[in-house]
């Protein structure tokens, strides 16, 4: 485990504890997603935050102005602390760790579902229900379109891959034929 991951875990635990006290755990997750979006995907903001000649106080003032109405004081305090300490590089790890802690505490699992087309709300609900029973959690779905699957679904929950895609079945079939011919 890298040092950044360990640091992110420490901040995530503290942030989750504060969010539980205030009853805003899911809101904090959404706010962290917004912060990661701004700091990692907006190239202008990223360059500004990483610029060595800009003082920490100027960086904080710009962030406060940009994020003030979007963040709770709990999340804003965390953002300020990490910027002051020059740790803006750990926000993605912080978000991932926060989501894991939150999921473990609330019985929520996040699943990435790969399909050849965008799944409807009803299809997502069916997948969430089926896999929720399997892993004994409430499942939140993120749907990713992957046309290389040919058909079917690939579902990733945590570190586990459930491959029901046509391309996956063909690969397994080919492997079984190759194994038989080697004997």
């Amino acid at each position: 485990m890298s040092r950044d991951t360990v640091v992110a875990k420490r901040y995530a635990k503290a942030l989750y504890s504060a969010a539980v006290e205030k009853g805003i755990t899911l809101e904090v997750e959404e706010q962290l997603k917004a912060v990661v979006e701004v700091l990692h995907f907006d190239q202008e903001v990223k360059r500004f935050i990483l610029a060595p000649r800009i003082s920490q106080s100027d960086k904080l003032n710009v962030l406060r102005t940009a994020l003030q109405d979007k963040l709770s004081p709990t999340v804003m305090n965390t953002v300020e602390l990490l910027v002051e300490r020059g740790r803006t590089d750990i926000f993605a790890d912080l978000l991932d760790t926060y989501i894991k802690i939150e999921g473990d505490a609330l019985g929520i699992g996040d699943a990435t579902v790969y399909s050849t087309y965008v799944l409807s709300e009803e299809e997502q609900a069916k997948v969430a229900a089926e896999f929720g029973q399997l892993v004994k959690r409430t499942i939140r779905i993120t749907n990713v379109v992957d046309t290389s699957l040919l058909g079917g679904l690939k579902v990733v929950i945590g570190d586990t891959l459930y491959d029901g895609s046509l391309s996956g079945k063909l690969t397994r079939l080919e492997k079984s034929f190759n194994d038989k011919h080697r004997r």
Side-chain angles (χ1 to χ4, degrees):
M1 194 179 292
S2 76
R3 183 175 185 275
D4 286 348
T5 305
V6 171
V7 172
K9 191 174 193 175
R10 196 168 50 236
Y11 279 100
K13 284 179 180 177
L15 183 58
Y16 184 75
S17 293
V20 167
E21 281 181 26
K22 293 180 174 48
I24 57 171
T25 55
L26 295 172
E27 294 88 341
V28 167
E29 177 188 338
E30 292 306 314
Q31 292 170 17
L32 279 176
K33 285 179 183 175
V35 170
V36 168
E37 182 95 9
V38 168
L39 293 178
H40 288 277
F41 299 110
D42 185 321
Q43 292 305 312
E44 284 184 43
V45 173
K46 191 174 186 176
R47 273 194 302 273
F48 177 79
I49 292 298
L50 295 175
R53 291 190 175 155
I54 298 174
S55 72
Q56 298 292 53
S57 62
D58 287 344
K59 291 176 186 180
L60 283 172
N61 287 335
V62 168
L63 282 174
R64 281 184 193 117
T65 303
L67 300 170
Q68 183 178 16
D69 297 333
K70 299 173 185 163
L71 302 182
S72 65
T74 304
V75 175
M76 194 66 218
N77 289 341
T78 303
V79 169
E80 290 173 357
L81 187 62
L82 290 173
V83 170
E84 286 169 0
R85 294 182 177 176
R87 299 309 314 253
T88 57
D89 57 328
I90 70 164
F91 275 106
D93 285 338
L94 172 66
L95 173 62
D96 290 344
T97 305
Y98 182 90
I99 289 171
K100 181 168 180 1
I101 292 168
E102 175 189 48
D104 289 346
L106 300 177
I108 298 172
D110 288 295
T112 304
V113 179
Y114 298 89
S115 59
T116 56
Y117 61 91
V118 176
L119 298 176
S120 70
E121 292 288 325
E122 184 179 320
E123 291 168 322
Q124 287 186 32
K126 285 180 182 177
V127 171
E130 187 173 323
F131 282 93
Q133 286 181 334
L134 182 67
V135 297
K136 296 179 182 21
R137 290 179 165 250
T138 302
I139 298 294
R140 293 187 295 189
I141 301 279
T142 301
N143 186 207
V144 176
V145 174
D146 181 354
T147 55
S148 71
L149 297 178
L150 304 176
L153 299 175
K154 223 171 33 170
V155 180
V156 179
I157 302 172
D159 295 335
T160 307
L161 167 67
Y162 302 92
D163 191 351
S165 67
L166 186 54
S167 59
K169 289 176 183 176
L170 289 172
T171 301
R172 288 189 296 277
L173 183 63
E174 180 183 22
K175 184 179 180 327
S176 74
F177 285 148
N178 289 337
D179 289 345
K180 286 181 184 177
H181 290 305
R182 288 189 188 130
R183 293 180 192 167

